[in-house]
Amino acid sequence: MSLTPPTIHSLTFDCTGDPYDLGLFWSELLGRPLADDDKPGDPEALIADPAGGPRLLFVRVPEGRRSEDVTTATAKRPRLRPLLT
């Protein structure tokens, strides 16, 4: 049986500022649009990759958090290929 390795589905960035502003900066830098439903003041902003690469998700977190900045990678589960006899 051959397994397909997992792939990175999205990268999530915690931010204390406006996720839309941060997403807009990266959107312009990378040449990828923000999601159509993202607006200033939203708690999240998403940049998808039209080529199917990892999405970038910016999420507002409370200010004054004492832990380090967090970036999370989300992987897609590999699909199992059926066994051939």
Side-chain angles (χ1 to χ4, degrees):
M1 177 169 66
S2 175
L3 295 178
T4 304
T7 58
I8 295 176
H9 180 260
S10 61
L11 296 171
T12 304
F13 299 89
D14 290 351
C15 57
T16 56
D18 186 351
Y20 181 85
D21 287 342
L22 190 56
L24 190 59
F25 168 81
W26 283 102
S27 170
E28 292 176 8
L29 184 71
L30 297 172
R32 296 188 203 168
L34 282 170
D36 292 337
D37 59 349
D38 286 334
K39 306 287 183 254
D42 284 351
E44 299 178 348
L46 177 69
I47 300 173
D49 182 358
R55 306 176 316 159
L56 303 179
L57 178 62
F58 302 92
V59 180
R60 180 181 295 124
V61 295
E63 290 192 42
R65 198 173 78 176
R66 298 195 185 276
S67 65
E68 296 293 321
D69 290 336
V70 176
T71 302
T72 305
T74 305
K76 284 186 178 179
R77 292 184 309 186
R79 293 183 183 195
L80 298 178
R81 296 182 188 161
L83 293 175
L84 301 176
T85 57

